[in-house]
Every structure is written in structure tokens, then in C-alpha cells.
Amino acid sequence: MSTQGDGTRAVRAGLPEPQQNEPTLPGPVFAAHFHLSGEPTGPYTYGRDGNPTWTRLEQAIGELEAPGEDVETTVFASGMAAISAVLFSQARSGDAVVLPGDGYQALPLLREQLEAYGVEVRTAPTGGDAQLAVLEGAKLLWLETPSNPGLDVCDVRRLVEAAHAGGTLVAVDNTLATPLGQRPLELGADFSVASDTKGMTGHGDLLLGHVTCRDPELTAGVRRWRKIAGAIPGPMEAWLAHRSLATLELRIDRQCANALALAEVLAKHQAVSGLRYPGLPTDASYANASRQMRRFGSVVSFVLADRGTAERFLAALRLVEDATSFGGVRSTAERRGRWGGDAVPEGFIRFSVGAENAADLVADVEQALATATAGS
């Protein structure tokens, strides 16, 4: 395993060997096809199969996912494309898969499609390692930890051990943690999956996803699905993502520190209930998170009295954008119930903490809470 620090690795990951008079990070390669005489051999033949810009990004992400180890990463046009590639490359009619019942909002759509293909889908909550109870005989176990938006954390090692004992593959959606917060492959998972739209690229301007595996056969299945579905990233997006990785540690450390500072303030506020942040020692997930996470993420969730209070709070914020998604350098927040797909109270707030100065951010939240609860 590499002994370099996360920041050094993020800055250097995926860069080619220095070449005289060449840029440190070569620009994006725009090509639908490549020169190809004779037999179709070599890494680059057609633009849906491979691209040098993807290759550099895939190498970079692999170095962050499993430093010093032999892994393969496949990049996709979005996080959902990456998730779909794992599920649909592995599950066949008659198989069973286990999904979290409290995971990402689009998982029910995947459930419908899997069931339409004859795949049995079982669900259980993330908290309390409840998926163990429905694991027997499954082809694939899908974990999302911390869960989105509830921020529960499961014991990945425990679930992996039980799954592998029964011949079940394990995939972990690591979007919220990023590889700097948690490394699923080191915890024993077969697939580490993420929406790189979020914290990995961190600026709210790209849609990307990735899957990283140790097993070349699993990677081959994922890449075959990418080729069939055509869910490929553009070279410009891939290049921008690679450039953004250089600031990953800087961004994540600032955002995690801000998230903890905000959670500590919210914990004392009388208008706030149901506060969740895995890095808060009083949080129900703190023990699990402390064992398997190195950073606790930038998302805080909490509940205000009702829909009206939540909407007044969001409207009163000045430094925080009312927007979906998370992991960006600019703080965002939303009333998650407006989408209708999450089992959360009407006043539930998912708050993605950015890289602003902590004092300014806390002050903005405090004034917004005061405005939202005035007269109540």
C-alpha cells in the first residue's frame, strides 16, 4: 500500500510520466474513431470503447480507491449509469438482489426494471445491518453507507463477511464518503461505486460516475455493459473531473470540518430535531462510522417542525443555495420531501455543507432558523 498522503495522491493521481515540452495533464482527446489498420488491436479503436482521457481519469480514481493495489476503474456518464452497470451486468432472471430500503431516491426505479427482467429484489434498511436478514441466496448485496438522505451507517466488513460466505457479491455506493472518507474495497467489497457528480468533482458542474473492482472478470462485465448501453462520459467532462481531483483533499477536509461545526450548533438548537451526522459523537452511526471511515462526509440532515418552517428556513438562507445534489464547494440545502420518494418528514432538511468559512455559514444558518421560527 502506498504511504503517500491523500493530498499528494490526489494531486498526482493518473498523471502520465513527464515528457519534455508536454503538459502535466494532457488535454482532452476528442475522437469518435482512431487510426486502425489491419486487425483491430490496441486500447483505442472506436470512441464508445475507449478514450485516452477516460484512461487517465480511471487510473487516477483507481489510485484513490485502492492506493498501491491492482484495481480497474470504469467511468460512466453519470452515477446512475455506474449503478445500473453493476446491477444489470450481474443480475439475471431468477437471481435475487438485496437493496437498501432507505437508499438513493432512484433505486425504486431500478427495482421496477430488475423485477421486469425477472430478478427478485429484497430490501431492508441500512441501520442495524438489517440487510443481513434478507441476504440468503442473493446474487448481489447493494450497500449505501452512509445512506442518502438518512445518514445511517452499516458495518461493511460484517455484511461482506456474511455475503461472501454465501457466495454473494457486494457493491458499496460510496458517493457520500468518497475514497478519502471510506475505501469499500479495503473493507472487502467487490465493487466500489459512486456518483462523481457529487464530492469527487465537487463543483456542481459535471455528471459522472465510476465503478472500481479488483476482479478483472467483474470489470469486464461492467465495461461490456457500458459498451452496450453507450453510457460513456464526454472527454471534456472526464478531463475536467481529473483536474478537479487535485483539490479533493482540500475540499473534503474543509467541508467535513464545516459539517461537524454546523452539526454541533444544530444539536443545541431547540427548533431542530432528528439531527444526523456520522461524525458527531452522539450520533447513532458514530461507532460504526469511526471503525470504517476516515472522514465523515459533508452532509448533515435534520428535521424542522413542518413544511412551512422548512421552506421559510430555506428562503431565509443567504449563503446556501436551495438545490438538490450534494458534495459541492458551495453549500446547498433542500426540503427533501418535495421529491416524494424518500420516507422522511415534511420538515426534513438535507444540508450539503460547502467550503465557505465556518463562522459565516453557521451565522447564516442561525439567522435563517431565527427567521423561520419567529412567532412560533
Side-chain angles (χ1 to χ4, degrees):
M1 182 180 297
S2 172
T3 59
Q4 289 183 337
D6 287 338
T8 302
R9 194 175 301 110
V11 167
R12 305 295 307 176
L15 298 182
E17 290 296 319
Q19 297 291 329
Q20 186 74 6
N21 304 127
E22 293 294 324
T24 302
L25 176 61
V29 174
F30 298 98
H33 60 264
F34 301 84
H35 289 296
L36 188 67
S37 59
E39 294 299 314
T41 59
Y44 307 114
T45 59
Y46 182 65
R48 191 179 70 252
D49 298 335
N51 178 291
T53 310
W54 304 352
T55 299
R56 283 188 285 270
L57 176 60
E58 289 170 341
Q59 289 173 344
I61 293 174
E63 290 175 31
L64 298 175
E65 285 277 10
E69 297 188 42
D70 187 14
V71 298
E72 294 181 86
T73 295
T74 307
V75 292
F76 289 86
S78 69
M80 280 304 297
I83 292 169
S84 298
V86 173
L87 288 166
F88 293 117
S89 69
Q90 299 305 313
R92 303 286 185 271
S93 179
D95 288 340
V97 300
V98 177
L99 302 180
D102 54 345
Y104 179 52
Q105 188 185 46
L107 288 182
L109 300 177
L110 281 172
R111 176 177 187 161
E112 291 177 11
Q113 194 61 57
L114 287 163
E115 290 176 338
Y117 289 158
V119 176
E120 178 191 354
V121 179
R122 309 168 190 162
T123 62
T126 299
D129 299 341
Q131 288 168 288
L132 285 171
V134 293
L135 184 58
E136 186 176 356
K139 175 67 178 296
L140 176 70
L141 169 63
W142 188 273
L143 306 178
E144 184 180 304
T145 180
S147 61
N148 172 28
L151 303 182
D152 273 321
V153 174
C154 60
D155 185 337
V156 176
R157 289 187 181 90
R158 180 187 182 200
L159 285 155
V160 165
E161 183 178 352
H164 285 174
T168 301
L169 295 169
V170 181
V172 176
D173 184 334
N174 201 41
T175 300
L176 198 146
T178 80
L180 267 61
Q182 180 172 264
R183 293 189 183 129
L185 299 184
E186 289 185 2
L187 299 173
D190 301 287
F191 303 89
S192 180
V193 189
S195 169
D196 300 321
T197 307
K198 314 296 194 300
M200 283 287 276
T201 57
H203 291 81
D205 53 7
L206 298 174
L207 291 175
L208 281 173
H210 79 266
V211 178
T212 303
C213 306
R214 279 199 183 91
D215 187 331
E217 289 189 18
L218 295 179
T219 296
V222 167
R223 292 197 169 177
R224 180 175 182 271
W225 181 262
R226 181 178 67 178
K227 179 175 181 175
I228 293 169
I232 59 172
M236 191 67 196
E237 286 77 9
W239 185 86
L240 286 169
H242 196 169
R243 183 200 63 171
S244 296
L245 290 181
T247 60
L248 181 59
E249 186 192 48
L250 298 173
R251 291 185 280 106
I252 295 298
D253 279 352
R254 178 63 167 258
Q255 290 171 254
C256 289
N258 282 356
L260 180 58
L262 179 61
E264 289 172 343
V265 169
L266 291 171
K268 302 172 185 176
H269 202 288
Q270 61 183 7
V272 172
S273 64
L275 174 68
R276 297 302 305 272
Y277 181 64
L280 203 60
T282 55
D283 190 87
S285 290
Y286 181 75
N288 263 348
S290 296
R291 284 193 296 269
Q292 66 193 26
M293 299 182 72
R294 298 178 300 125
R295 295 170 175 86
F296 298 108
S298 61
V299 178
V300 177
S301 68
F302 55 96
V303 180
L304 299 179
D306 50 35
R307 174 174 177 168
T309 304
E311 290 177 345
R312 289 193 299 274
F313 167 72
L314 293 168
L317 292 165
R318 295 292 174 260
L319 297 179
V320 182
E321 301 166 6
D322 190 345
T324 195
S325 199
F326 58 85
V329 291
R330 291 175 291 278
S331 290
T332 62
E334 68 171 336
R335 191 182 68 81
R336 193 62 186 167
R338 66 181 175 172
W339 298 101
D342 296 308
V344 295
E346 284 293 299
F348 183 97
I349 300 291
R350 185 181 71 180
F351 199 113
S352 172
V353 183
E356 299 88 357
N357 289 110
D360 295 334
L361 187 61
V362 167
D364 190 36
V365 169
E366 288 181 324
Q367 69 80 24
L369 285 170
T371 300
T373 58
S376 62

